[in-house]
Amino acid sequence: MEGMSESENVSTMPDWEQRFRAPRVSLPDWAEDAPDRSLFVSNATGTYELYAWDRASGRQRQVTDRPNGTTDGVLTPDGEAIWWFSDTDGDEFGVWMRQPFGGGEDEPAAPGLAPSYPAGLAIGRDGSAVIGRSTDEDGTTIHLVPPAGGGDGSGGEAVEIYRHRESAGVGDLSYDGTLIALEHTEHGDAMHSALRVVRPDGSTVAELDDTEGGNKELGLAVLGFAPVAGDTRLLVGHQRRGRWEPMIWDPVAGTETALPVDLPGDVGAEWYPDGSALLIDHSFEARSELWRYEPGAPEPVRVETPAGTVSGATARPDGTVEYLWSSAAQPPVVRSTSGAVVLDPPGAKAPASVAVEDAWVEGPGGRIHALVQKPAGEGPFPTVFEIHGGPTWHDSDAFASGPAAWVDHGFAVVRVNYRGSTGYGRAWTDALKHRVGLIELEDIAAVREWSVESGLADPQRLVLAGGSWGGYLTLLGLGTQPDAWALGLAAVPVADYVTAYHDEMEALKAMDRTLLGGTPEEVPERFEASSPLTYVDAVRAPVYISAGVNDPRCPIRQVENYVDRLAARGAVHEVYRYDAGHGSLVVEERIKQVRLELEFALKYLGGWGGSGGVRGG
């Protein structure tokens, strides 16, 4: 693979390091009108970067090469060019660049547009592009970049076709480029989008708003226009029956078509390339599966995949389906329903881990689902509660190198899909409003109590840990439940909610206003109740914090405010600051952060059994 280094000799490395270093690839995206041309992400050089893959010749080429990595890229429909987003050291603020598929110089894809946070991109077959932008000054703006000869997406002067203070984004562009689907939250509820289809001049074709102007908590999502010339059908995700599921909306004809896909849990979909069927992805109780549905048929047909998690899937022109699969025990692989492994990176494979077990615990808001991984031997074990970010996300039966590292070191790992998590219905996801953070911690406390009573967890060696929203819940939990936790590990956290609000990117301000019911000035009591800084003086457990100095989501200043308060009273803490944004795309940096967390836990919890070594270097 051109541009990829030889694999390091890993024979002497502990398994947990090998899992991080093992070469991985994402599900390859492919050009709609040139399906042999694909784009994928890999860490094979030690940093996650974009790669071009010509399936006809087998040639693979590294597209981007930046110190802090690159993961956001899109192929033009004809496969002639690759657009990729260029920010500065992970700050997520930048511009779209363009590079020929076969290699060559990068150039600005829309030179008239100033840097911004991205808010969606759609590239037309005629070389036009629709670019969404978000800035603190302007809110959301959406621009049409007309073609300037050639079909490679190089355009003329950008024309603004949409502007609003609230969050919005580009959903999709129709096959012939005459319709543009937008998601917006002009009604002020950033958790539940409405849809608008516009013409290239920005004039409205049709609206679809299940919130009824912000009066109902029902969201919509653009899943994609039919990939057929002259077909104006738009695949849409809706929540009308208490969960995410697809329907077909024709904004020109004004028709809506419900689909008889009555599967439990959340359901998404995308078109098969000829528009004759839908590829259904079904997520339920932390696992996922695929189905094929032909409009007009009485029910969908199962697409066979192994038990576990399908992280992405795409139907190919020949009717096969390619998908990225993993389980907690087995590392990810890109497979095809033909039986083949689609893309197998060179180098040593990641060592397996242990399977997850399901735990269902009665909580104050209903049954809570938790995933448990246990080391060898008999409990009770030192136990890490690894709390997911989002909060609109969920842990699943998928391979994760971080939890596997703790299991290697003799820890049990518990991951809680608290209220606010996706995958358990709309009511569960929407439940955390106004008492933000505190509701999630009630669910975590219920599972913690179960873990001790069941004999799984040692109550004297309970670790609360997480990144992003999980880091926020870690700091909030250490302050509001100070007797419950022996140690805290918070990565890129919200630590001072008020300062975080004022410093974060505009789209997250909108989300916080939705979650808390207003700004810090409008609802100061809610921000105070939900801010870890409010409870910092109650923290008793040693706490380790890591933060990216360029993070636009959980900015560094609010972390420093929290750390200063810890330091002022001599609380036991360590802080690690690194030169990146909301996490790192550099493999060695990720390993370093896990190693520092392991060493911190070893230092303050004492020794324990386990097969994983904590090496220096």
Side-chain angles (χ1 to χ4, degrees), residues 41 56 77 179 218 387 400 416 448 497 524 551 574-575 580 585 592 601:
V41 177
L179 300 173
L218 292 173
I387 308 303
V416 181
R448 183 192 70 231
Y497 217 141
D551 191 344
E574 293 181 15
V575 184
L585 299 175
K592 179 179 180 181

Side-chain angles (χ1 to χ4, degrees), residues 251-266:
V252 175
T255 59
E256 298 177 17
T257 305
L259 305 177
V261 184
D262 291 318
L263 299 167
D266 287 337

Side-chain angles (χ1 to χ4, degrees), residues 320-617:
T320 61
V321 174
E322 296 178 353
Y323 58 96
L324 180 62
W325 174 92
S326 73
S327 70
Q330 296 298 323
V333 60
V334 180
R335 295 183 174 181
S336 168
T337 52
S338 70
V341 172
V342 175
L343 187 59
D344 190 19
K349 306 307 179 188
S353 185
V354 300
V356 294
E357 301 173 11
D358 296 279
W360 291 93
V361 178
E362 290 300 326
R367 278 206 321 162
I368 308 159
H369 191 198
L371 301 176
V372 178
Q373 288 173 281
K374 295 188 292 188
E378 296 296 323
F381 303 103
T383 299
V384 176
F385 276 69
E386 181 76 30
I387 308 303
H388 72 73
T392 50
W393 188 250
H394 68 271
D395 280 314
S396 59
D397 183 6
F399 198 74
S401 297
W406 289 105
V407 174
D408 284 359
H409 286 81
F411 282 82
V413 177
V414 178
R415 290 179 284 171
V416 181
N417 284 331
Y418 50 77
R419 277 173 288 173
S421 301
T422 54
Y424 301 87
R426 179 178 62 83
W428 191 260
T429 302
D430 290 349
L432 57 77
K433 282 188 175 181
H434 300 171
R435 293 184 61 245
V436 174
L438 304 173
I439 285 175
E440 301 95 294
L441 286 169
E442 288 175 358
D443 292 347
I444 293 167
V447 177
R448 183 192 70 231
E449 184 176 345
W450 163 84
S451 73
V452 172
E453 292 178 351
S454 68
L456 170 71
D458 178 350
Q460 303 304 313
R461 292 193 289 182
L462 294 175
V463 179
L464 187 57
S468 191
W469 197 264
Y472 158 64
L473 293 177
T474 294
L475 295 184
L476 189 64
L478 295 178
T480 59
Q481 304 168 356
D483 297 324
W485 306 103
L487 194 80
L489 306 168
V492 290
V494 174
D496 168 3
Y497 217 141
V498 173
T499 302
Y501 176 87
H502 289 301
D503 289 0
E504 69 194 5
M505 57 203 302
E506 185 62 32
L508 292 184
K509 286 188 174 73
M511 180 62 74
D512 283 338
R513 289 194 297 272
T514 297
L515 288 173
L516 290 154
T519 67
E521 291 71 33
E522 292 166 339
V523 286
E525 71 288 349
R526 290 180 181 169
F527 275 82
E528 181 180 16
S530 293
S531 178
L533 189 67
T534 302
Y535 313 97
V536 63
D537 290 338
V539 173
R540 298 175 189 170
V543 56
Y544 171 90
I545 300 173
S546 59
V549 298
N550 303 314
D551 191 344
R553 298 174 181 269
C554 299
I556 191 68
R557 184 169 71 108
Q558 53 95 27
V559 173
E560 302 291 8
N561 290 348
Y562 187 90
V563 171
D564 287 347
R565 288 280 296 274
L566 287 175
R569 65 181 183 88
V572 177
H573 71 285
E574 293 181 15
V575 184
Y576 173 63
R577 304 166 182 86
Y578 56 95
D579 187 19
H582 197 61
S584 176
L585 299 175
V586 179
V587 172
E588 289 302 323
E589 177 61 37
R590 291 186 176 188
I591 291 171
K592 179 179 180 181
Q593 291 179 26
V594 173
R595 183 183 295 121
L596 288 171
E597 291 184 347
L598 288 165
E599 290 173 345
F600 187 83
L602 177 62
K603 180 178 179 180
Y604 290 105
L605 291 185
W608 59 82
S611 59
V614 183
R615 301 193 310 133

